Amino acid sequence: EADIYQTPRYLVIGTGKKITLECSQTMGHDKMYWYQQDPGMELHLIHYSYGVNSTEKGDLSSESTVSRIRTEHFPLTLESARPSHTSQYLCASSHNDEQFFGPGTRLTVL
Amino acid sequence: QKEVEQDPGPLSVPEGAIVSLNCTYSNSAFQYFMWYRQYSRKGPELLMYTYSSGNKEDGRFTAQVDKSSKYISLFIRDSQPSDSATYLCAMKTGGYNKLIFGAGTRLAVHP
């Protein structure tokens, strides 16, 4: 079944740790996205990719980085987590205008 | 001013009611309009996707776009407790441009 997966679903970590949030899709979509969502707020685009070896920063400034070495995989890395990074991170993919979202990773940095 | 405005609610209705959810926008270049449903602790799922002005119906859901007023609506008929979720509108101008989301309206349908 074609789908989009995110791991871990929940992560509680201490300040200064390096973390990687995983995102994989089995739909063969060329475009992939990372959004940040805080309670009651809009989804904010932080990174996107239109294909392998293509990554761009989104509208919301983020200290995270991404890579796109394989079509199906779009991991997000924080080199040194801080409490201000506490949020929900949503990964999405699309072939045209319709974006399909993963279940999200809820990150808490203590 | 935000590009997309959406009343956050919460909106509480009895089962069987007709629900109207709305968004207004300021960018007249928006061409593609979507409604997503997001259950608690889950990712958004696409409900409706419309390109032009007018109505689009899918089961109990109707999406309406009025480009002249820069206003879109989602109607839910015969609402069910399982419809309780946050509904997000989203729109884009086209091509490789990005989706702009509203903040979402929280809906609670009580039995």
Side-chain angles (χ1 to χ4, degrees), chain A residues 9-10 31 35 37 40-43 45 48 50 59 88 90 97-99 101-103 106, chain B residues 2 32 34 36 38 41-44 46 49 88 92 95-103:
Chain A
R9 292 293 316 279
Y10 303 92
K31 303 182 190 74
Y35 290 88
Q37 184 183 35
M41 302 295 289
E42 302 89 338
L43 274 73
L45 183 67
Y48 61 100
Y50 289 148
D59 301 321
Q88 164 130 301
L90 289 161
D97 295 312
E98 300 175 42
Q99 292 187 18
F101 284 82
R106 188 170 294 274
Chain B
K2 295 179 181 178
Y32 303 89
M34 298 160 208
Y36 284 83
Q38 186 175 22
R41 302 190 184 282
K42 302 275 179 145
L46 183 66
Y49 170 45
L88 305 160
K92 62 180 292 192
Y96 282 99
N97 292 316
K98 300 172 276 290
L99 265 183
I100 307 298
F101 284 86

Side-chain angles (χ1 to χ4, degrees), chain A residues 5 10 14 20-21 27 32 41 44-45 74 80 85 91 108:
Chain A
Y5 305 93
Y10 303 92
T20 296
L21 308 185
M27 295 175 278
M32 295 189 75
M41 302 295 289
H44 288 290
L45 183 67
F74 191 40
S80 179
H85 296 138
C91 180
T108 302

Side-chain angles (χ1 to χ4, degrees), chain A residues 16-17 24-26 38 49 51 62-63 66 68 101:
Chain A
K17 301 291 186 184
S24 294
Q25 50 98 3
T26 58
D38 293 311
S49 167
S62 174
E63 293 161 349
V66 293
R68 188 89 182 275
F101 284 82

Side-chain angles (χ1 to χ4, degrees), chain A residues 53-100:
Chain A
N53 295 324
S54 155
T55 62
E56 301 285 345
K57 287 192 177 293
D59 301 321
L60 184 67
S61 175
S62 174
E63 293 161 349
S64 58
T65 59
V66 293
S67 62
R68 188 89 182 275
I69 298 171
R70 302 198 316 263
T71 298
E72 63 272 20
H73 196 213
F74 191 40
L76 181 146
T77 298
L78 273 166
E79 290 293 332
S80 179
R82 293 207 300 270
S84 61
H85 296 138
T86 294
S87 189
Q88 164 130 301
Y89 292 84
L90 289 161
C91 180
S93 71
S94 72
H95 177 62
N96 45 33
D97 295 312
E98 300 175 42
Q99 292 187 18
F100 296 87

